[in-house]
Amino acid sequence: MNVVNDSPRRRELIRVAAQLFVQEGFDRTTVRMLAQEMGIKSGSLFHHFRDKQEILCAVIEEGTHNALVIAREALEQCDGGAEARLHAMARAHLETLLTDRNAHVVALYEWRRLDEPSRDHLGHLRDAYEQLWQDVIGDALEAGLIRGDKFLVSRFVLGALNWTVRWYDPAGAYSPDALASELIGMLGAPTAATA
Amino acid sequence: MNVVNDSPRRRELIRVAAQLFVQEGFDRTTVRMLAQEMGIKSGSLFHHFRDKQEILCAVIEEGTHNALVIAREALEQCDGGAEARLHAMARAHLETLLTDRNAHVVALYEWRRLDEPSRDHLGHLRDAYEQLWQDVIGDALEAGLIRGDKFLVSRFVLGALNWTVRWYDPAGAYSPDALASELIGMLGAPTAATA
DNA sequence: CATTTACACTAGCGCTTGCTTGGTTAGCCT
DNA sequence: AGGCTAACCAAGCAAGCGCTAGTGTAAATG
């Protein structure tokens, strides 16, 4: 009953829950599964979370939060060039998609299972992240690096990047850095072909 | 018990099921919901489908099948130009994403709920569709219309297009045709900027 | 030493789920 | 008229679901 909001135990639960949600989907993952994976009984979960929804919310929140932090860091450690910033964002996105893969897959595929309040809360986080992208894309457009409408390009690029969770193999030929370069090279940037 | 494989009634069931699967998700859609929406009792569904899985499979199969047919038609009604073919594919993809929206959203977001045999069966359909894309992209690369690796570009483009189900509003400023042009214009095609 | 806190357990309630069974109805074909 | 069949219904089973109430215990805290 007495729910604690931050503890190592809770963090571990979120990690394992994310993995299960990816493997089985949110609805098919039962509280009993998660409990067994943690070596405890199902009732004990509700000491850490109010209900099952809150577990889902926590998983997505952590992933989105990390993505935002990493993106901001990547932009700060960057000289002012529009192309460098674009590359840094793409690379950061791919890297967080790898390190927090489970959380991001859950965010992408189980978003609809969130109830209204959670969706609202997490929506603001996600909006902040997308705003970052729109700023960087806007700069790249002004610098003549790419062509098109700011919002349209942002959505196309985000779509292309998010789709990578379906096929990208980190053991394959491309590193996140190389993949980011390939993406930018594909866009109509005459000077970015070999970035 | 005695399952029929093709009938108007079954087709209608598939249509309604697709809508429910989008609204509620596959797991949260109960056979009772679907039955009620059709004005029948839940047990009667199993005259048309062996089990719930088969309904999901039928929904996705119809969507993917239509996409394949429409893409082939679009390519046939096309002169041989690589750019025209690329545009025709993108436009066909966006149009089928609209007309069969429910089925495609289900295919994108509920794929994991398929059992192994269904996934295998539908996988071949999807592979055939992606092969079409790779051919068209390959031609565009050879024509110097775009840059990059054939497989990489195919995946980036498909990702960008599929992501549109998240944000595209058919009542908005862009028609599928215009959107396809914008996407191709964004790619590094010097002669395609105003296609 | 007494109390609180964090975490886990046992045991189950109340409900929903996919699916089955056995039988009925209405229309079509010969 | 008689038979066939697609379509449906009523009733319910067995299993599984999220979640709760109440209790135990070891470590931290006063």
Side-chain angles (χ1 to χ4, degrees):
Chain A
M1 208 51 157
N2 205 10
V3 175
V4 180
N5 260 343
D6 204 45
S7 71
R9 197 73 178 140
R10 185 179 154 110
R11 216 173 285 275
E12 176 73 0
L13 274 162
I14 293 174
R15 208 185 52 83
V16 174
Q19 192 195 330
L20 279 173
F21 290 166
V22 169
Q23 272 174 29
E24 311 284 336
F26 175 68
D27 291 319
R28 286 174 123 85
T29 302
T30 69
V31 292
R32 280 167 245 259
M33 278 185 203
L34 176 54
Q36 189 173 21
E37 206 76 12
M38 291 291 293
I40 62 178
K41 299 295 174 182
S42 71
S44 309
L45 287 175
F46 297 91
H47 169 73
H48 301 276
F49 301 93
R50 204 175 304 115
D51 52 25
K52 197 187 169 191
Q53 271 279 328
E54 198 179 274
I55 309 181
L56 176 60
C57 188
V59 166
I60 297 183
E61 176 160 26
E62 178 155 316
T64 312
H65 174 79
N66 285 352
L68 195 53
V69 168
I70 289 177
R72 281 183 179 143
E73 280 177 6
L75 286 182
E76 276 170 17
Q77 294 171 0
C78 206
D79 57 8
E83 185 180 336
R85 287 166 63 84
L86 188 59
H87 185 274
M89 275 296 280
R91 178 188 164 144
H93 191 92
L94 289 166
E95 274 172 354
T96 195
L97 230 47
L98 268 186
T99 60
D100 285 322
R101 186 172 190 278
N102 288 336
H104 288 297
V105 170
V106 170
L108 287 173
Y109 290 96
E110 311 284 352
W111 183 266
R112 292 157 173 270
R113 276 71 185 176
L114 287 168
D115 54 23
E116 194 56 53
S118 306
R119 215 181 306 206
D120 198 62
H121 169 229
L122 296 174
H124 286 98
L125 262 183
R126 204 195 49 185
D127 288 350
Y129 182 72
E130 291 190 358
Q131 187 60 56
L132 234 53
W133 266 102
Q134 280 172 23
D135 292 347
V136 171
I137 297 257
D139 292 348
L141 284 170
E142 280 182 23
L145 215 65
I146 48 179
R147 282 192 293 271
D149 174 75
K150 183 168 82 165
F151 300 101
L152 237 42
V153 173
S154 300
R155 282 162 170 162
F156 282 145
V157 168
L158 268 177
L161 286 174
N162 284 333
W163 190 251
T164 57
V165 299
R166 292 249 192 178
W167 56 267
Y168 180 55
D169 173 17
Y174 292 97
S175 67
D177 190 75
L179 207 56
S181 297
E182 285 288 328
L183 175 65
I184 295 174
M186 186 187 78
L187 303 177
T191 62
T194 52
Chain B
M1 209 53 150
N2 204 10
V3 175
V4 181
N5 261 344
D6 204 46
S7 72
R9 197 69 178 141
R10 183 179 155 110
R11 217 172 283 276
E12 175 73 0
L13 273 162
I14 292 174
R15 206 185 53 83
V16 174
Q19 192 194 331
L20 280 173
F21 290 167
V22 169
Q23 272 175 29
E24 311 283 335
F26 175 68
D27 291 319
R28 284 174 125 84
T29 301
T30 68
V31 292
R32 280 168 243 259
M33 277 186 204
L34 176 54
Q36 190 174 21
E37 206 76 14
M38 292 290 294
I40 62 178
K41 298 295 174 183
S42 70
S44 310
L45 287 175
F46 297 91
H47 169 73
H48 301 276
F49 301 94
R50 205 175 306 115
D51 52 25
K52 199 188 169 192
Q53 271 279 329
E54 198 179 273
I55 309 180
L56 176 60
C57 188
V59 165
I60 297 183
E61 176 160 24
E62 178 155 316
T64 313
H65 175 78
N66 285 352
L68 194 53
V69 169
I70 289 177
R72 281 181 178 146
E73 281 176 5
L75 286 181
E76 277 170 16
Q77 294 170 2
C78 206
D79 58 9
E83 186 179 336
R85 288 165 63 83
L86 188 59
H87 186 274
M89 275 296 280
R91 175 185 166 147
H93 191 93
L94 288 166
E95 274 172 353
T96 194
L97 230 48
L98 268 186
T99 59
D100 285 322
R101 186 173 190 278
N102 287 337
H104 288 297
V105 170
V106 171
L108 287 173
Y109 290 97
E110 311 285 352
W111 182 267
R112 292 155 173 272
R113 276 71 185 175
L114 288 168
D115 54 23
E116 195 57 52
S118 306
R119 214 181 305 205
D120 198 61
H121 169 227
L122 296 174
H124 287 97
L125 262 183
R126 205 196 48 185
D127 288 349
Y129 182 73
E130 291 190 0
Q131 186 61 53
L132 234 53
W133 266 102
Q134 281 172 22
D135 292 346
V136 171
I137 297 256
D139 292 347
L141 284 169
E142 281 182 24
L145 214 65
I146 49 179
R147 282 191 292 271
D149 174 76
K150 183 168 84 167
F151 300 101
L152 236 43
V153 173
S154 300
R155 283 162 170 161
F156 282 145
V157 168
L158 268 177
L161 286 173
N162 284 332
W163 190 250
T164 57
V165 300
R166 292 251 194 177
W167 56 267
Y168 180 55
D169 173 18
Y174 292 97
S175 67
D177 190 76
L179 208 55
S181 298
E182 285 289 326
L183 175 64
I184 295 175
M186 188 187 77
L187 302 177
T191 62
T194 53

